[in-house]
């Protein structure tokens, strides 16, 4: 069943107040580890394991890091080895029940895109093992000046991947939808006996940030924009810090390094997040660097989001969360870059008509 095409009206629902929803969050802890948005400092939010349901934040713009940190940790030991006898040991991978509460639709889509990447070709064991036994509970959000997921085909109420979806009506009024059998059973076990059904009117939620073209047209533009001026203009402001990669829900590149002890007897193989925006990313033995210039790395990053993988997956590999724009120290905005690219494309097409 394609949940992208389903509206919430087709799911059973129940209305809870804030106290009841926090009690439900506490009940979920009896089913496994529960992770939900918490405050981190004065203005930021992060997904953390729920200890006290009263500290869970229901209404938030976005977390600093997306959910990928739970399935592809920033740093992880892949194996430990002994050189003398050429043996190695693999670490245990935790695949116990996990419930992710209060997930926005674009972050769920980020996980589904990583599923696609890590399950094709040679399946990535560690990611897929951690991904097992995971249940996702979505929640609505009010788009801010950085969100543009609507422009890449992800509505606020997109329920694909969710077992339960919560629509925030106001601070003490939450409509909870059972999106699949798992979600319905969780609500029943919590004590919900009577569900509502039938017509349900969603709040109007307008995205302030928008791409000028439908996402389906972007691969055609990226096919022609390899030598456009936009790349160098953006790179004049870019610091090349790689922050945009680290906070992106769909960036998954990593580096692998072997370290040995001083006796050269034992060692470990470690994997850590990497960034295609860093100068050394495309450097190979002998010092050759295939993307030495910053504009080349900027161009490559955006082609990964709107062209290369999109051609295979069918949807953009950018989910419109707005993290790369909000957390960019140079104030580079993804929507502005793509719209500038579209503008330059239109101008160049006029010249060649």
């Amino acid at each position: 069943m394609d949940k992208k095409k389903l509206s919430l009206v087709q799911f059973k629902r129940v209305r809870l107040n804030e106290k009841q929803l926090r009690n439900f969050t506490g009940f979920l802890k009896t089913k496994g580890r529960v992770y939900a948005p918490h405050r981190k400092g004065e203005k930021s939010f992060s997904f953390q394991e729920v200890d006290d349901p009263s500290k869970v934040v229901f209404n938030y713009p976005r977390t600093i890091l997306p959910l990928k940190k739970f399935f592809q940790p920033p740093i992880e030991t892949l194996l430990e080895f002994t050189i003398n006898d050429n043996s190695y040991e693999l670490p245990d991978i935790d695949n116990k029940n996990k419930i992710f509460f209060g997930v926005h639709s674009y972050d769920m889509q980020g996980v589904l895109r990583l599923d696609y990447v890590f399950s094709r070709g040679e399946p990535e064991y560690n990611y897929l093992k951690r991904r097992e036994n995971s249940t996702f509970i979505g929640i609505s959000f009010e788009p801010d000046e950085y969100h543009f997921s609507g422009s890449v085909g992800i509505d606020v109420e997109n329920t694909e991947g969710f077992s339960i979806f919560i629509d925030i009506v106001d601070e003490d009024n939450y409509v909870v939808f059972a999106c699949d059998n798992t979600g319905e059973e969780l609500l029943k076990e919590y004590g919900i006996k009577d569900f509502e059904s039938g017509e349900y009117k969603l709040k109007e939620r307008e995205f302030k940030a928008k791409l000028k073209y439908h996402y389906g047209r972007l691969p055609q533009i990226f096919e022609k924009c390899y030598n456009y001026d936009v790349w160098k203009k953006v790179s004049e402001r870019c610091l090349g810090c790689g922050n945009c990669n680290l906070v992106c829900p769909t960036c998954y590149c990593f580096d692998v390094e072997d370290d040995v002890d001083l006796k050269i007897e034992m060692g470990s193989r470690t994997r850590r997040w990497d960034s295609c925006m860093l100068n050394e990313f495309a450097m190979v033995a002998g010092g050759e660097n295939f993307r030495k210039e910053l504009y080349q790395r900027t161009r490559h990053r955006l082609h990964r989001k709107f062209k290369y993988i999109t051609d295979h997956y069918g949807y953009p590999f950018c989910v419109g969360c707005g993290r790369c724009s909000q957390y960019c120290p140079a104030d580079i905005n993804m929507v502005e870059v793509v719209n500038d690219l579209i503008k330059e494309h239109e101008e160049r097409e006029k010249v060649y008509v």
Side-chain angles (χ1 to χ4, degrees):
M1 181 179 294
D2 185 358
K3 291 183 181 178
K4 292 175 184 174
K5 298 179 180 178
L6 290 178
S7 66
L8 285 171
V9 71
Q10 302 184 49
F11 302 129
K12 295 178 180 177
R13 66 179 185 268
V14 63
R15 198 173 292 266
L16 302 179
N17 59 32
E18 180 185 352
K19 182 179 179 181
Q20 291 170 320
L21 190 59
R22 293 197 184 281
N23 287 340
F24 177 62
T25 309
F27 159 77
L28 293 174
K29 285 165 56 64
T30 66
K31 299 297 180 181
R33 292 179 187 168
V34 181
Y35 299 91
H38 289 67
R39 286 197 173 277
K40 193 173 182 66
E42 294 184 3
K43 299 181 179 179
S44 300
F45 302 87
S46 70
F47 271 95
Q48 301 174 23
E49 185 169 356
V50 176
D51 179 44
D52 180 356
S54 70
K55 295 182 178 178
V56 173
V57 179
F58 297 147
N59 197 355
Y60 67 101
R62 65 182 57 75
T63 54
I64 301 172
L65 290 179
L67 295 179
K68 71 178 181 182
K69 67 178 183 179
F70 294 101
F71 309 116
Q72 185 194 4
I75 302 174
E76 69 172 313
T77 300
L78 297 178
L79 58 86
E80 294 178 336
F81 54 86
T82 302
I83 296 175
N84 292 339
D85 59 7
N86 201 30
S87 63
Y88 66 91
E89 291 186 3
L90 299 176
D92 293 332
I93 304 296
D94 182 3
N95 68 338
K96 295 178 181 177
N97 287 346
K98 300 175 287 293
I99 299 175
F100 296 91
F101 180 94
V103 179
H104 291 170
S105 55
Y106 53 78
D107 270 340
M108 185 69 249
Q109 289 295 315
V111 173
L112 296 178
R113 280 158 175 73
L114 292 184
D115 289 350
Y116 171 83
V117 169
F118 285 125
S119 60
R120 295 176 65 82
E122 189 68 32
E124 212 294 309
Y125 176 83
N126 287 15
Y127 173 90
L128 296 174
K129 192 70 176 177
R130 290 192 181 93
R131 183 69 174 78
E132 292 176 351
N133 303 314
S134 298
T135 301
F136 299 91
I137 296 178
I139 200 163
S140 62
F141 63 95
E142 296 298 328
D144 65 7
E145 67 270 34
Y146 298 108
H147 289 116
F148 64 102
S149 61
S151 290
V152 290
I154 304 170
D155 296 329
V156 172
E157 303 85 8
N158 188 318
T159 60
E160 186 183 23
F162 293 131
S163 292
I164 290 174
F165 187 84
I166 302 165
D167 187 33
I168 303 175
V169 180
D170 59 44
E171 292 181 355
D172 198 35
N173 192 353
Y174 302 86
V175 180
V176 182
F177 295 83
C179 302
D180 63 14
N181 291 335
T182 299
E184 186 171 339
E185 286 304 312
L186 283 173
L187 289 169
K188 286 180 176 177
E189 288 185 44
Y190 171 60
I192 302 299
K193 297 179 181 177
D194 299 319
F195 289 91
E196 300 175 20
S197 59
E199 186 175 353
Y200 177 76
K201 188 173 182 179
L202 288 164
K203 289 175 62 177
E204 293 286 339
R205 296 183 171 98
E206 181 75 15
F207 284 92
K208 303 176 185 68
K210 298 177 182 177
L211 298 180
K212 187 175 180 180
Y213 281 4
H214 184 275
Y215 63 84
R217 296 179 63 185
L218 296 180
Q220 299 170 7
I221 294 176
F222 275 78
E223 182 75 37
K224 299 180 178 179
C225 71
Y226 198 76
N227 293 315
Y228 281 12
D229 297 331
V230 166
W231 308 124
K232 291 187 177 179
K233 290 180 180 177
V234 175
S235 67
E236 290 174 357
R237 297 166 53 198
C238 180
L239 304 178
C241 64
N243 203 37
C244 49
N245 294 119
L246 300 184
V247 300
C248 177
T250 64
C251 281
Y252 57 89
C253 289
F254 55 80
D255 193 13
V256 176
E257 183 177 282
D258 285 354
D259 296 296
V260 296
D261 62 9
L262 291 176
K263 296 181 180 179
I264 316 180
E265 294 176 350
M266 303 179 68
S268 62
R269 178 165 296 171
T270 305
R271 175 167 65 182
R272 64 188 67 211
W273 291 357
D274 204 349
S275 164
C276 62
M277 291 302 295
L278 300 181
N279 184 38
E280 298 84 2
F281 184 84
M283 187 178 289
V284 297
E288 183 67 30
N289 192 337
F290 293 99
R291 287 191 289 274
K292 183 178 180 181
E293 304 298 330
L294 199 46
Y295 80 89
Q296 296 173 318
R297 303 198 290 275
T298 301
R299 180 175 61 196
H300 174 77
R301 186 173 82 85
L302 266 76
H303 274 74
R304 295 276 294 180
K305 299 303 172 191
F306 297 104
K307 174 60 180 171
Y308 298 151
I309 313 177
T310 302
D311 285 348
H312 299 277
Y313 186 70
Y315 289 93
F317 245 62
C318 169
V319 294
C321 66
R323 286 186 176 92
C324 59
S325 302
Q326 181 179 0
Y327 297 116
C328 176
D331 201 25
I332 294 173
N333 185 293
M334 174 69 95
V335 172
E336 292 176 1
V337 173
V338 175
N339 283 341
D340 285 348
L341 195 67
I342 292 171
K343 182 180 178 182
E344 182 174 351
H345 177 74
E346 290 175 336
E347 291 172 350
R348 287 180 178 244
E349 287 296 296
K350 286 179 183 177
V351 172
Y352 297 129
V353 168

